[in-house]
Amino acid sequence: MLARQFSADSLAKSAASGQKDEFHVNEETEIRLDNRLSSYANVPNDAVITFLEVSSDKSKTILRIHFRSRK
């Protein structure tokens, strides 16, 4: 699965790098950590993305993102 190759840390680094094609998380984004609603600030840097849903328009807004913390 492609999603398992990315972590919360890599997503944050990608956003911070100033890439033109970065993804956006907003107040409507569903963020889950270990199947529980969470905020992005509470996701550990080594958590793994297990699910990612992006809007179909060109805004690159993340609609839903689910993480699993490493044990």
Side-chain angles (χ1 to χ4, degrees):
M1 292 171 85
L2 182 60
R4 290 186 181 176
Q5 296 176 8
F6 298 101
S7 67
D9 191 42
S10 65
L11 181 65
K13 285 179 184 175
S14 174
S17 71
Q19 291 181 354
K20 185 176 167 184
D21 296 323
E22 66 187 40
F23 292 100
H24 304 280
V25 175
N26 62 28
E27 64 279 346
E28 296 177 15
T29 301
E30 176 188 290
I31 301 170
R32 290 188 173 264
L33 174 62
D34 297 328
N35 294 321
R36 295 184 179 161
L37 285 175
S38 182
S39 68
Y40 187 71
N42 292 332
V43 176
N45 287 341
D46 64 345
V48 176
I49 298 171
T50 60
F51 179 81
L52 179 65
E53 181 181 353
V54 180
S55 65
S56 60
D57 60 12
K58 293 185 179 186
S59 69
K60 296 211 176 189
T61 301
I62 296 174
L63 302 175
R64 296 191 302 163
I65 186 166
H66 298 183
F67 296 93
R68 184 185 73 235
S69 58
R70 295 188 189 239
K71 306 283 180 191

